Amino acid sequence: VPVSLAIVGATIVTMNDGREVIEGGTVVIDRGRFAAVDRGTRDPHADRLIRGDGCVLLPGLINCHLHSRPGRALGDGLSLFEWHALFPDRFCRQMTEADSRAGSLLAFAESLKRGTTTVMDMTCKPAGAFAAAEEIGIRARIVPLAADVESAGDGACDVYADFVTAIGGRLPGPDARVQYWLGFDAVDGVGERTLRQMGKDARRLGVGIHGHMSESRDDAGWTDRTHAMPAALYLRRAGVLGPRTVLAHCNWVTPEEIAVLAETGTSVAHNPTSNMKLGTGVAPVLELRAAGVTVALGTDGMLSNFHLDMFEAMRGACMLQRIHRLDAHALMSADVLEMATRGGARALGEQLALGSIEAGKRADAVLVDIGGVHFRPLIRGRHDNLTALLAWCAHGSDVRTVVVDGTVVVEERRLCLADEAAIALDAQRSAERLLAAVPDIAPRP
Ligand SMILES: [Zn+2]
């Protein structure tokens, strides 16, 4: 039975076109959508009332790139290549649908509790992740870590053609909270023929495409060595770029590639904390944005990044550009707040439904408790620091209540639809079993 809900008394950071901030406003949610966003705290006549005093109400954060494998903080200090061969590749080869579900429940539990309402999850055995998202209440686009046998041999954890056959007859409608997207793990793991088919399938099925591109310098050189052209030009030739394609990383793109991404309307998911942790490169975020490319934010997986906190990703994005360019003005708090909300929505091609708190949009919202001493002094008006406090001082642990599609999924910092202790235990068991087959890390000389 649909329940109407009102959130009253919060400072509403709407992220609408005028970037309006409403002090002590009222948000009414009905049948999964924002029905009204008003100044003042009138009696909203809703079935259920949530007090938001002392909190900021933000649009739900959108994490445009993560992997939900059941592992965390493994292989610290290894290069991308060494670490990938030792952990992600071995995990993927053994993962069952139950492991995928366990890893995804863990990743989605952490995401929701830290204010992320939408995830783009690229994972092995995607049916397990899909079930996890349906169960826990998060909005998700589930993407296979797909490859083809010609390019990846038996290293392919999900074979692209098998995935398309499996989902072919049972795609949820375009309004569904949980949907499948198509995608590829790495440009060198799929042949051009498979990519061409993927572009056709995406148009036929009405879904998007997500893949990794040019994360490390070595990745970026692969198409130069094999096809005598940079990766973005190769992907354009293969027919997979477009307004519903999101490429993770793009750390080593050339000006020519930036122009191709802009021309085709392709979006980029920037993962600053993962890139810093693995030492892979610095995405040209300013050049991409200046060219008109939508840049969304992601955390990458908890195996590579250790956590799935989009507040850390926002902060990391600012800090990375500023130190890289020796320019304190390079990327601002307001820019990263936009990337984590409206930018993510645009990357998904869902800017009409997500990314801001406006009547008519899907009701995904997050109450951030700004009562803590780490939010004081709070200054409004002249020297206003509200946006800076959100970008620089907030942590996922400040999130109190989370609403997705009009349903309360986190309340007083606890999940409402799933059992946290059971989720932690299942993920622990999966990780221990998967790690049994991973050899010891060779000592460094
Ligand atoms: Zn990734």
Side-chain angles (χ1 to χ4, degrees):
V1 184
V3 174
S4 63
L5 179 72
I7 303 171
V8 176
T11 299
I12 307 166
V13 175
T14 63
M15 296 306 291
N16 65 13
D17 291 346
R19 303 293 188 274
E20 223 175 328
V21 175
I22 300 171
E23 293 291 342
T26 299
V27 168
V28 182
I29 291 167
D30 193 22
R31 277 160 290 176
R33 292 178 189 272
F34 296 117
V37 182
D38 296 328
R39 290 176 188 284
T41 52
R42 65 182 171 83
D43 177 9
H45 303 296
D47 298 336
R48 186 164 168 207
L49 186 86
I50 292 178
R51 295 299 315 187
D53 309 75
C55 293
V56 163
L57 188 71
L58 278 179
L61 303 177
I62 298 175
N63 185 346
C64 266
H65 184 65
L66 71 86
H67 309 280
S68 59
R69 289 168 288 230
R72 191 193 295 273
L74 294 165
D76 188 24
L78 297 182
S79 72
L80 173 64
F81 181 78
E82 298 166 313
W83 166 82
H84 216 283
L86 202 53
F87 296 104
D89 289 353
R90 284 172 191 269
F91 268 47
C92 281
R93 248 170 271 155
Q94 313 173 64
M95 270 171 69
T96 62
E97 221 165 276
D99 294 318
S100 166
R101 178 176 166 277
S104 293
L105 281 173
L106 184 73
F108 300 161
E110 180 184 357
S111 297
L112 285 174
K113 291 184 72 175
R114 294 181 174 200
T116 295
T117 55
T118 301
V119 288
M120 176 98 84
D121 180 19
M122 180 185 269
T123 189
C124 334
K125 304 291 177 286
F130 194 99
E134 295 234 285
E135 181 178 338
I136 203 167
I138 201 165
R139 191 179 298 285
R141 301 297 172 259
I142 307 291
V143 191
L145 266 160
D148 60 30
V149 177
E150 294 90 319
S151 308
D154 60 3
C157 78
D158 285 295
V159 174
Y160 174 74
D162 297 347
F163 172 75
V164 171
T165 307
I167 66 163
R170 49 185 184 94
L171 272 184
D175 284 339
R177 178 168 55 76
V178 184
Q179 292 176 36
Y180 281 119
W181 270 33
L182 305 181
F184 52 91
D185 182 7
V187 174
D188 62 0
V190 275
E192 192 167 354
R193 206 152 48 99
T194 301
L195 287 173
R196 209 168 284 289
Q197 185 60 43
M198 192 180 298
K200 283 185 199 149
D201 291 337
R203 285 185 288 277
R204 174 174 60 85
L205 298 168
V207 300
I209 295 175
H210 184 43
H212 291 106
M213 191 180 90
S214 302
E215 178 173 0
S216 68
R217 188 155 39 186
D218 190 56
D219 289 341
W222 185 80
T223 54
D224 288 319
R225 295 191 294 275
T226 55
H227 293 81
M229 65 177 79
L233 276 72
Y234 168 70
L235 291 177
R236 177 177 64 180
R237 186 178 79 181
V240 290
L241 298 190
R244 289 197 80 196
T245 296
V246 181
L247 297 174
H249 304 301
C250 300
N251 293 334
W252 296 92
V253 290
T254 62
E256 187 187 21
E257 289 182 280
I258 293 174
V260 166
L261 297 177
E263 257 168 53
T264 55
T266 304
S267 301
V268 170
H270 175 44
N271 303 276
T273 47
S274 170
N275 296 160
M276 287 191 277
K277 184 263 173 187
L278 287 167
T280 47
V282 182
V285 171
L286 271 57
E287 288 80 357
L288 287 161
R289 280 163 59 91
V293 176
T294 296
V295 182
L297 278 181
T299 57
D300 217 340
M302 61 240 197
L303 258 173
S304 65
N305 188 31
F306 302 169
H307 65 76
L308 306 173
D309 188 335
M310 286 291 286
F311 290 96
E312 293 290 342
M314 286 193 256
R315 199 150 40 240
C318 285
M319 292 201 278
L320 180 55
Q321 292 302 317
R322 291 180 187 193
I323 188 62
H324 183 63
R325 292 165 180 270
L326 302 179
D327 176 5
H329 195 74
L331 202 59
M332 305 296 286
S333 318
D335 296 330
V336 288
L337 198 54
E338 181 183 316
M339 288 159 71
T341 54
R342 296 170 64 100
R346 214 172 318 118
L348 297 174
E350 299 188 53
Q351 60 271 36
L352 298 179
L354 305 174
S356 59
I357 299 176
E358 292 180 83
K361 285 200 171 183
R362 310 291 329 179
D364 293 0
V366 173
L367 269 179
V368 183
D369 182 346
I370 58 163
V373 288
H374 58 294
F375 290 105
R376 292 295 176 278
L378 163 67
I379 310 292
R380 304 309 316 278
R382 212 164 65 86
H383 297 296
D384 200 300
N385 66 353
L386 182 63
T387 305
L389 284 171
L390 289 169
W392 292 104
C393 309
H395 295 272
S397 52
D398 295 313
V399 168
R400 207 183 80 186
T401 300
V402 178
V403 176
V404 178
D405 226 27
T407 299
V408 179
V409 292
V410 173
E411 192 167 21
E412 298 304 332
R413 298 181 165 87
R414 303 292 300 171
L415 293 176
C416 302
L417 306 179
D419 177 348
E420 285 177 30
I423 288 173
L425 188 63
D426 276 356
Q428 184 74 29
R429 286 198 183 123
S430 275
E432 285 172 3
R433 194 176 53 72
L434 294 169
L435 278 168
V438 176
D440 294 344
I441 297 174
R444 292 254 167 170

